[in-house]
Amino acid sequence: IAAVILLAASCAILSCAPAAVEAPDSGHTVWNTAELFKPPAYEWIDRTSPIRSLYYKGAQFNDRDTRVFAYYATPGSLAGDPSLDRKLPCVVLVHGGGGHAFSEWVEMWAKRGYAAIAMDHVGCGPGGTKLHDGGPGQDNDAVFFDVDGPPGDMWTHQAVSAVILAHSLVRSFPEIDPSRTAITGISWGGYLTCIVAGLDHRFRAAAPIYGCGFLADDSAWTALLSGMSESRRTAWTRLFDPSRYVGSATMPMFFVN
């Protein structure tokens, strides 16, 4: 995966989406990127261990504030030498379905000279324990069937917000070079990476792994989406299918399948 990011950062090797895909109008998406691009409030749980942990403020869910849990590591935190942490490139790591924030993932990247942050985007804290003030889980209702409700309460909205806010947070850290950040995600994390790449042009590279769009046309979720009414399926695709967003990406992307 490290090689993927390095390749993606150095050259634009793939077109992001077919030319026929309509790019989203930033004024008509369900994400307020002007707010998401501001560093969120945060608090350290552990800022002295080699792999650190923290909470940061997430998007509103059901008219209440949320917290997002994340692991964070740098070459200096692993070595116990803060002098190593100067103008670091940083990778934002997005887990897949059934996953949570993985400390091993940030450790792997920190060993390779990067800062790295891995957040939980299913409303859980350390060890996958559900937070009382976390966002939604990733059940089919939250992902698909609740599309008739407020878009901001859908899992995709919450998860994309958590990813962009994590990026805004690390860009504010003094040890990070904000001009050298990248994102990678696996499976549902790859799905999220495709959407985020189209919304957050501050990233210099993106590498979705097993991530794609056009879920209603040909994916493991085609049958589920086909079982929805045409109006609900159309609404979900318009709001939350990566094909609506990835064509707006401006950074090099490397798709791994």
Side-chain angles (χ1 to χ4, degrees):
I1 298 174
V4 168
I5 290 289
L6 292 171
L7 284 169
S10 63
C11 62
I13 57 173
L14 290 177
S15 173
C16 294
V21 173
E22 180 186 357
D25 181 336
S26 61
H28 293 83
T29 72
V30 293
W31 289 279
N32 183 345
T33 53
E35 289 300 313
L36 294 175
F37 286 0
K38 298 176 183 177
Y42 71 99
E43 60 175 330
W44 291 103
I45 304 170
D46 179 354
R47 64 181 308 173
T48 60
S49 297
I51 299 171
R52 296 169 184 181
S53 54
L54 57 94
Y55 290 112
Y56 61 90
K57 185 177 180 180
Q60 285 254 315
F61 173 61
N62 286 338
D63 296 320
R64 62 169 172 79
D65 291 337
T66 63
R67 285 188 303 166
V68 181
F69 171 76
Y71 288 112
Y72 176 73
T74 65
S77 73
L78 294 187
D81 183 357
S83 69
L84 299 176
D85 292 344
R86 300 179 186 275
K87 289 190 171 297
L88 292 173
C90 185
V91 184
V92 176
L93 306 170
V94 190
H95 69 77
H100 297 284
F102 292 113
S103 61
E104 300 88 348
W105 211 2
V106 296
E107 180 181 22
M108 184 195 78
W109 281 96
K111 286 180 177 178
R112 288 159 171 78
Y114 296 80
I117 188 168
M119 82 301 298
D120 184 292
H121 54 68
V122 292
C124 294
T129 302
K130 189 67 178 176
L131 296 174
H132 74 275
D133 54 357
Q138 200 185 358
D139 58 79
N140 285 342
D141 286 340
V143 178
F144 296 108
F145 298 139
D146 290 343
V147 71
D148 297 325
D153 289 341
M154 295 286 285
W155 170 77
T156 299
H157 178 274
Q158 292 286 315
V160 166
S161 298
V163 174
I164 296 176
L165 287 167
H167 187 211
S168 298
L169 177 61
V170 294
R171 283 170 55 90
S172 74
F173 289 173
E175 67 269 21
I176 302 302
D177 181 348
S179 70
R180 295 195 296 158
T181 60
I183 179 172
T184 187
I186 299 174
S187 192
W188 275 108
Y191 158 92
L192 295 172
T193 296
C194 289
I195 296 176
V196 170
L199 295 170
D200 191 344
H201 298 163
R202 301 171 300 171
F203 282 111
R204 291 295 300 275
I209 302 168
Y210 312 129
C212 67
F214 302 98
L215 268 65
D217 298 323
D218 185 13
S219 75
W221 305 102
T222 299
L224 182 150
L225 286 161
S226 295
M228 297 168 65
S229 68
E230 182 177 355
S231 62
R232 298 177 77 226
R233 182 172 62 252
T234 299
W236 187 90
T237 298
R238 177 176 57 85
L239 292 172
F240 299 123
D241 193 86
S243 63
R244 291 277 295 122
Y245 300 96
V246 71
S248 296
T250 58
M251 74 290 291
M253 295 188 69
F254 195 109
F255 292 83
V256 181
N257 293 297

